[in-house]
Amino acid sequence: MVALFEDTFKVMVRKAGEETLSIPSMLAVPFLPFKLELWVVIIGQYIVCSLVMFLIEGSSNDDDFPDSSVRGGVVESVYKGFFAGFGGGLLLNPKTVPGKIIVTGLSLSVMVFMSIYGAQVTTALVESRLGAPTGTISSFEEGLERGATFCVYSFTVPFVKARWPNMKVLAVGAGGKVYEMFDALYEGKCDASLIIDNWWRNAQAGGYSDAKSPLFDTVYSQHLKGVEDDGWKRFHCDDKIFPIASIGVPWSIGNGIPVREELVRLIRFAIKKAQDDSTRRYSTYAAAFSEKFVEPAAGCSAQGASSADGGEVDVSASLQDGVGATMVSLIFTAAALIFWGVENALSSRAPKSTKSEPEEAEVGVDMGKVETFAAEADGLAQARIDQRLGAIEAALGALAAGKAQGSNDRDAPPPQGSEDRVAPPPRRSDLTGDVVFSMSTTP
């Protein structure tokens, strides 16, 4: 067999219209930046870090874990871990070195995940606003999984069914009517069409939206009518996407001629020489076909449309995008747990104090002495106060007696020769500790 050329069939679909999101779809939007497996890893990491944090700090950190019960402490720890992980900020204020190690690793992973999330959202918005239009089917493999119906050129149906026995196909284009591949897709008879590059190039030039198609009068001729003179030429360019994403080439067919084995090299040489001859009809087949048929209508780019992947771009971050940050955080957590275990082991082996009541007992003896001294001081002060009160009472009594005696002396007639003498006033003497009053008269 000597090959002449090869036709590669790729998938063409219609452009998707504006999609109306349902309530479940809208609720799922915040979770689209990460794939399911990455969400599972992130949530698992936060739970593990929170539980280890409570194990280490739960009994010593009353600020972060005010509830002393295990259930309350676990709930509080998991809540604060998720609050930090979803961008709310760290609510944990660890008191121990292992707790600080955990918070450091958790902070690093939160920074990475928030950056990836923001980048994915930005990418999705740019793709939706400025990127290529999306199709009704995003990839060839998706069409197979969904059980989509493919329009297939009639003579290739047996080969396609041999390759994909369960594939739903619709045979069209018999007798060289390639336009049926486009018409059937527009009418909804199939979900996608398998076509080759040359057919798409011809469609961009209006080759399959002209008067040969039964849909010309009712559909194609009305496209951009009154806006462009030949707006109908752009119909397939504006209505469809080619090719969509696929893993490899969906299907290809080689065209050749059978020859005897001893003539293979000779025929190949003759074919190569003929293809290089620009005057021959089939020289450089693909290039000659493009030059003859392809003059894309205004607004259609043959190069961009035929090579661009118009399928949906998966903007969800995968497991490999976030597993690094998760591993770093878990390594920090494991290191903190090991540090905590070693710290507890060393503290349990430290020698214990022989004093039964180390500081508290000493404080108690001192307080007893203070109380004893205070009682003695109170007793001495009270005795001294009683002594002074007794002295005062005695002095007051003597003073009262002296006053009474003086009154009597004044009432009595003065003695002879004493007219010029006057009795001196009483004198008071203050002695240390006691008060003594003395009364004296001059004889």
Side-chain angles (χ1 to χ4, degrees), residues 69-404:
S69 66
V70 175
R71 179 177 179 274
V74 169
V75 171
E76 184 75 13
S77 181
V78 172
Y79 160 72
K80 290 183 176 180
F82 275 89
F83 187 84
F86 294 143
L90 286 173
L91 298 178
L92 295 171
N93 184 23
K95 307 297 184 184
T96 63
V97 174
K100 294 178 180 179
I101 295 176
I102 294 176
V103 169
T104 302
L106 185 62
S107 301
L108 177 63
S109 67
V110 169
M111 178 191 68
V112 173
F113 288 135
M114 291 299 296
S115 301
I116 295 176
Y117 190 93
Q120 296 301 108
V121 171
T122 302
T123 301
L125 291 176
V126 171
E127 289 291 336
S128 63
R129 302 295 191 273
L130 305 177
T134 57
T136 53
I137 299 175
S138 63
S139 68
F140 175 64
E141 290 73 22
E142 179 191 337
L144 294 177
E145 293 177 1
R146 287 171 44 181
T149 300
F150 289 83
C151 287
V152 180
Y153 200 53
S154 57
F155 87 90
T156 63
V157 170
F159 306 104
V160 173
K161 292 295 290 184
R163 175 66 178 84
W164 295 287
N166 297 325
M167 182 178 179
K168 296 180 181 179
V169 299
L170 176 64
V172 293
K177 299 178 181 179
V178 179
Y179 61 83
E180 291 184 355
M181 304 285 291
F182 296 82
D183 293 353
L185 180 59
Y186 173 79
E187 293 175 323
K189 295 179 181 179
C190 55
D191 302 302
S193 295
L194 285 175
I195 66 172
I196 61 176
D197 290 334
N198 289 333
W199 294 350
W200 176 250
R201 294 190 184 102
N202 193 24
Q204 289 184 307
Y208 303 126
S209 56
D210 55 14
K212 295 190 299 290
S213 171
L215 298 179
F216 177 76
D217 294 332
T218 57
V219 179
Y220 301 151
S221 63
Q222 305 302 315
H223 186 63
L224 298 178
K225 188 175 182 179
V227 179
E228 296 183 11
D229 294 337
D230 296 330
W232 55 271
K233 292 183 178 181
R234 285 185 50 181
F235 183 87
H236 295 308
C237 177
D238 295 338
D239 182 69
K240 298 172 180 64
I241 293 176
F242 175 84
I244 63 172
S246 63
I247 302 176
V249 177
W251 185 62
S252 63
I253 183 172
N255 298 274
I257 55 175
V259 296
R260 295 197 306 269
E261 184 176 357
E262 63 272 16
L263 299 177
V264 169
R265 298 183 64 182
L266 180 62
I267 298 298
R268 284 179 177 172
F269 175 78
I271 292 175
K272 181 67 170 62
K273 187 175 181 180
Q275 289 178 338
D276 293 339
D277 187 354
S278 59
T279 62
R280 290 179 177 270
R281 179 180 179 185
Y282 293 105
S283 62
T284 57
Y285 175 80
F289 187 95
S290 299
E291 293 175 1
K292 182 177 180 180
F293 291 102
V294 175
E295 292 182 4
C300 291
S301 171
Q303 182 179 3
S306 62
S307 62
D309 176 12
E312 293 181 358
V313 179
D314 188 1
V315 297
S316 298
S318 61
L319 181 62
Q320 62 183 2
D321 296 322
V323 69
T326 300
M327 290 181 63
V328 169
S329 178
L330 293 179
I331 289 173
F332 272 72
T333 303
L337 195 59
I338 294 173
F339 187 95
W340 177 71
V342 172
E343 190 176 40
N344 286 345
L346 293 177
S347 62
S348 63
R349 294 183 179 182
K352 297 182 179 180
S353 176
T354 56
K355 296 180 181 180
S356 58
E357 295 180 358
E359 297 180 358
E360 291 78 6
E362 295 177 2
V363 173
V365 171
D366 292 341
M367 291 301 297
K369 291 180 179 180
V370 171
E371 291 176 357
T372 302
F373 293 153
E376 292 177 356
D378 290 343
L380 293 174
Q382 187 64 39
R384 191 173 183 82
I385 291 172
D386 292 342
Q387 181 181 3
R388 290 190 176 187
L389 288 176
I392 292 172
E393 290 178 357
L396 291 176
L399 180 61
K403 285 184 178 182

